Amino acid sequence: MNNIEKAQAEYEVFIQKFQSAIISTASNQGIPDASYAPFVMDESKNIYIYVSGLSTHTQNLSVNPHASVMLIEDEGKTEQIFARRRLTFDCTATLIERETDIWQEIVNQFHARFGEIIEVLSGLLDFRIFKLTPQQGRFVIGFGAAYSISGDNLNKLKPTPGNSEKKN
């Protein structure tokens, strides 16, 4: 198995290790904000977040639909702090209208994943669901081991130029 095949196998299970994602947004004035949110993901790698309208990231997404999402290896489990495994996606956010069929489907997925707290949150009218659609991404598994992901096939890694890709 070569490096790209090993990386592909790791990529396929990496996302499953996470319940929340780090989210970077910006206001319409370009002021950045980093936060996090629990998420569910569909088979196309669309990321759904259920967030309060009072939060800065929700307000930012309402006026600027561009966001970056990152899943990153726990510091306590990394072998090298300078080369933590991480996955980033550049995304476009779309608000899912409340009480629609897709909204209910996503709420059900959140309930299945996170339990009773979702019943409480779904009753709070300021909570909103955003669909974050990845346009491209990058999966880094170490020094010289970075792979790009394009929006036309988010399930397949491609070596990044300068990657130390060797056959084993």
Side-chain angles (χ1 to χ4, degrees), residues 47-67:
I47 300 162
Y48 297 87
I49 57 173
Y50 201 12
V51 290
S52 170
L54 304 175
S55 68
T56 301
H57 56 260
T58 302
Q59 293 171 26
N60 287 350
L61 290 173
S62 296
V63 297
N64 180 352
H66 303 288

Side-chain angles (χ1 to χ4, degrees), residues 15 18 43 65 78 80 91 94 113 115 117-118 129-130 142-143 159:
I15 294 169
F18 297 90
E43 62 282 345
T78 191
Q80 174 49 259
C91 300
T94 307
R113 188 164 195 198
I117 186 67
I118 300 305
I129 297 174
F130 283 94
F143 290 119

Side-chain angles (χ1 to χ4, degrees), residues 17-49:
K17 299 176 183 179
F18 297 90
Q19 293 186 15
S20 65
I22 298 168
I23 303 169
S24 297
T25 61
S27 69
N28 58 358
Q29 294 88 23
I31 300 169
D33 179 66
S35 189
Y36 87 99
F39 72 92
V40 296
M41 182 179 282
D42 66 22
E43 62 282 345
S44 298
K45 301 268 189 291
N46 293 305
I47 300 162
Y48 297 87
I49 57 173

Side-chain angles (χ1 to χ4, degrees), residues 3 7 10 19 44 49-50 55 60-61 67-69 84 90 113 117 121 126 145 154 158 162:
N3 287 349
E10 186 168 339
Q19 293 186 15
S44 298
I49 57 173
Y50 201 12
S55 68
N60 287 350
L61 290 173
S68 180
V69 173
R84 286 167 70 187
D90 297 333
R113 188 164 195 198
I117 186 67
L121 298 180
D126 72 299
L154 295 168
K158 300 175 190 173

Side-chain angles (χ1 to χ4, degrees), residues 103-168:
W103 183 88
Q104 190 59 58
E105 180 182 324
I106 300 303
V107 167
N108 291 345
Q109 290 177 29
F110 270 95
H111 189 269
R113 188 164 195 198
F114 299 107
E116 300 302 316
I117 186 67
I118 300 305
E119 288 181 27
V120 173
L121 298 180
S122 65
L124 301 175
L125 297 181
D126 72 299
F127 268 74
R128 301 175 189 155
I129 297 174
F130 283 94
K131 174 183 177 182
L132 304 178
T133 304
Q135 307 304 310
Q136 63 184 4
R138 185 173 171 100
F139 184 50
V140 178
I141 58 175
F143 290 119
Y147 301 87
S148 62
I149 308 155
S150 64
D152 62 337
N153 188 350
L154 295 168
N155 292 312
K156 184 162 177 56
L157 298 179
K158 300 175 190 173
T160 300
N163 208 7
S164 59
E165 205 38 50
K166 299 176 189 119
K167 299 273 184 194
N168 287 340

